[in-house]
Amino acid sequence: MNQQELSKRLAAVGEFVPERARLADIGSDHAYLPVALALTNKIEFAVAGEVVIGPFTSAVNQVKKNGLEQQITVRLASGLEAIESEDNISAITIAGMGGALIRDILAQGKSKNKLSGTERLILQPNIGEKNVRTWLMNESYQIIAEHILEENQKIYEIIVAEKVAEPLAYSETDLLFGPILSKEKSETFIKKWQAELKQREHVLHQLSLAATVPSEKIAQIEEERKQIEEMLA
């Protein structure tokens, strides 16, 4: 296996892993990413963390098949608990989960002192990107890069962040759309938010037919629709 065999999504995540990194790949999905990066000599060492026994076993087998047992350690653990201090991790990848779950993994990891603050975070939420950006802002992680791509008719965002000393304040627009993606406004970005706008309009129509709906919910979706319309204008 090599990096060219990765999915487009995982290959894009791998592009943001620094050269010679010591990587923790959380929710490692058969250890595809660390194996590919090790085979191309991009990383020095990796931990592949899995919380479910089936994927854990698959990751172990993938590492063995490629003869990388000395370079990649597979651990059965919840979230960042897969990381041990002697690993000296310099980059963490968490890909293919919901934004709320990624946020919770990071928050729990921080509470258990699994984040040193020196790691680069490379995060690929499938949905709920705002949850991730809000946590990063509140914990003083600056978003240094973002990427949006489409694969198999699904659109994915990648958020790359590093800890800074001073507090950060991203706007609501930055948190929803991404401080970098919203400036670039790529074709894929426009396509995503056109679909999101239609989804908000559909929800508002459904709510208008309902007998009772909390006014706060309608107001929230109306505000999001307005934000999207302004972004696409």
Side-chain angles (χ1 to χ4, degrees):
M1 181 182 186
N2 57 51
Q3 197 167 358
Q4 284 69 44
E5 293 177 45
L6 288 175
S7 67
K8 184 179 174 183
R9 173 181 65 88
L10 278 182
V13 170
E15 287 291 321
F16 291 104
V17 175
E19 293 288 337
R20 309 311 299 158
R22 295 181 66 84
L23 175 69
D25 186 39
I26 305 303
S28 196
D29 185 24
H30 301 78
Y32 288 145
L33 180 61
V35 164
L37 295 178
L39 289 174
T40 54
N41 295 313
K42 186 168 189 185
I43 57 171
E44 186 177 298
F45 166 82
V47 172
E50 271 296 350
V51 71
V52 179
I53 191 67
F56 165 79
T57 303
S58 296
V60 169
N61 292 337
Q62 186 71 234
V63 170
K64 280 184 180 176
K65 185 174 80 174
N66 286 279
L68 293 167
E69 297 96 324
Q70 299 303 308
Q71 200 173 353
I72 300 175
T73 299
V74 184
R75 294 192 184 125
L76 187 64
S78 176
L80 300 189
E81 289 182 49
I83 298 172
E84 297 176 2
S85 57
E86 57 267 29
D87 298 329
N88 295 314
I89 294 301
S90 61
I92 296 172
T93 48
I94 311 177
M97 305 178 198
L101 178 55
I102 291 176
R103 174 201 62 201
D104 292 348
I105 287 171
L106 292 169
Q108 188 175 29
K110 180 178 181 285
S111 72
K112 296 189 175 184
N113 298 313
K114 296 294 184 178
L115 285 172
S116 69
T118 62
E119 313 91 342
R120 172 179 288 189
L121 304 180
I122 304 136
L123 312 169
Q124 184 269 296
N126 288 345
I127 56 169
E129 296 86 0
K130 185 178 179 180
N131 292 307
V132 175
R133 294 191 184 100
T134 301
W135 185 90
L136 292 171
M137 177 183 71
N138 291 339
E139 298 297 332
S140 296
Y141 280 85
Q142 184 174 12
I143 297 170
I144 62 166
E146 292 182 302
H147 184 62
I148 188 166
L149 70 145
E150 184 172 9
E151 182 174 38
N152 298 328
Q153 298 181 313
K154 290 185 180 179
I155 293 176
Y156 302 101
E157 292 183 16
I158 299 167
I159 303 165
V160 185
E162 293 179 355
K163 186 96 166 165
V164 292
E166 63 277 6
L168 291 165
Y170 288 118
S171 68
E172 281 297 308
T173 299
D174 288 337
L175 294 175
L176 181 60
F177 300 100
I180 297 169
L181 293 178
S182 60
K183 289 179 176 63
E184 294 174 345
K185 288 192 180 182
S186 69
E187 285 184 21
T188 308
F189 176 89
I190 297 297
K191 182 176 179 178
K192 170 181 175 164
W193 288 105
Q194 285 173 339
E196 291 283 344
L197 179 59
K198 285 181 182 176
Q199 188 265 345
R200 300 301 193 284
E201 289 171 342
H202 175 72
V203 170
L204 286 169
H205 175 68
Q206 293 300 113
L207 291 176
S208 72
L209 303 176
T212 56
V213 182
S215 58
E216 313 86 66
K217 184 172 180 64
I218 293 176
Q220 178 198 342
I221 298 170
E222 285 276 17
E223 178 59 29
E224 288 179 0
R225 179 176 71 172
K226 182 183 170 188
Q227 285 180 290
I228 297 169
E229 285 174 339
E230 289 174 357
M231 180 56 61
L232 293 174

